[in-house]
Structure formats: structure tokens, C-alpha cells
């Protein structure tokens, strides 16, 4: 009887560890970035939940504040921002050179690439659902690799 209880206790402890570890790995971080050409590690990665309650029209629903802030300390001749998510998301970037909305460049996923002048960029990951609690978990990637 004692052997069965010990085995069950070990199994329960392992289950508890797994149950705690999985949500932490998928937890939204909403990272901010300070990048210049040659940054490492490449890509820089941020996570979060898409959407929000503000309807932008062309770029779907976003939060009232940016999901990420990117500070480009020296201009990039080439930088790509792209998003991976399990659903249809958008990428909205505002910065020193304007406002850019991207949707469905690779399937349902957005990408924005090109030259990025030095300055501060606000980045939102939106969707077309309009849920205030977020719709899709996502990863935002910033890379110099074409």
C-alpha cells in the first residue's frame, strides 16, 4: 500500500509541476525593445495577447496602449517585424516615419519590413474579434535576417 501511495504522490507532484510550468511558458510578457544594427540575439522576441477594445477599422481591434515599444537607437537599412499566432492577427506600427498596418502577408499573419529610421515606435498586435481580454497568444519577432 505504501508503494502505491508513494507512486501516486510522485505522479501528483509531477503533474503539479507540469501544470504550473505550462502557463508560465505561455505567459504574455509585452516586452519593450532597444535595438541598433547588429543586435543580439537575433531575432528579438516579444509575446502577448492580440486584440483589445479600440476599433481602428483597417487594423482591427487593439489595446488602448501599445503592446510593445521599440526604440531604434541607430537607423536600420533592413529590419523585419513579423508575428506568429494561431489566428488572424494584425500588426500596427506608428513611428517617426508614419503609421503602418499590416495584415495577411503570410497566410493570416502580418509582416512589415524595410528601412527603419532611429526613433521610437509603438507596436500593437490586433485582431478582428474585439475582445477586451485578448484573443490569440502571439510572438512578435524583430530580425535583420531577410
Amino acid at each position: 500500500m505504501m508503494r502505491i501511495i508513494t507512486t501516486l504522490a510522485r505522479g501528483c507532484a509531477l503533474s503539479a509541476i507540469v501544470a504550473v510550468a505550462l502557463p508560465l511558458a505561455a505567459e504574455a510578457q509585452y516586452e519593450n525593445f532597444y535595438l541598433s544594427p547588429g543586435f543580439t540575439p537575433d531575432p528579438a522576441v516579444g509575446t502577448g495577447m492580440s486584440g483589445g477594445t479600440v476599433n481602428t477599422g483597417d487594423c482591427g481591434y487593439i489595446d488602448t496602449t501599445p503592446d510593445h515599444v521599440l526604440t531604434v537607437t541607430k537607423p536600420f537599412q533592413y529590419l523585419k517585424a513579423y508575428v506568429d499566432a494561431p489566428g488572424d492577427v494584425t500588426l500596427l506600427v506608428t513611428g517617426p516615419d508614419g503609421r503602418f498596418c499590416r495584415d495577411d502577408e503570410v497566410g493570416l499573419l502580418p509582416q512589415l519590413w524595410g528601412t527603419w529610421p532611429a526613433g521610437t515606435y509603438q507596436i500593437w498586435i490586433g485582431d478582428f474579434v474585439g475582445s477586451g481580454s485578448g484573443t490569440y497568444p502571439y510572438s512578435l519577432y524583430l530580425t535583420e535576417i531577410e
Side-chain angles (χ1 to χ4, degrees):
M1 182 73 162
M2 184 59 120
R3 184 176 190 163
I4 293 172
I5 293 172
T6 303
T7 303
L8 287 174
R10 286 183 188 158
C12 290
L14 181 57
S15 295
I17 291 169
V18 171
V20 171
L22 289 177
L24 292 176
E27 184 177 320
Q29 296 295 319
Y30 301 103
E31 292 85 352
N32 293 323
F33 305 94
Y34 297 86
L35 301 179
S36 60
F39 69 90
T40 59
D42 185 349
V45 181
T47 61
M49 293 295 291
S50 70
T53 57
V54 178
N55 187 351
T56 66
D58 64 337
C59 226
Y61 292 90
I62 61 171
D63 290 322
T64 56
T65 59
D67 295 317
H68 308 276
V69 175
L70 165 62
T71 303
V72 172
T73 57
K74 293 182 181 178
F76 283 91
Q77 289 301 311
Y78 179 86
L79 182 68
K80 177 169 60 173
Y82 64 98
V83 181
D84 187 26
D88 187 6
V89 297
T90 62
L91 173 63
L92 176 62
V93 178
T94 62
D97 54 348
R99 177 189 183 275
F100 302 92
C101 174
R102 294 293 185 262
D103 182 28
D104 301 343
E105 276 71 36
V106 178
L108 296 176
L109 300 175
Q111 293 187 1
L112 176 64
W113 62 92
T115 59
W116 293 58
T120 302
Y121 296 82
Q122 294 81 35
I123 301 172
W124 289 266
I125 310 303
D127 60 46
F128 297 102
V129 178
S131 170
S133 62
T135 305
Y136 302 110
Y138 69 81
S139 295
L140 167 68
Y141 298 91
L142 299 166
T143 183
E144 290 185 281
I145 300 168
E146 294 184 46

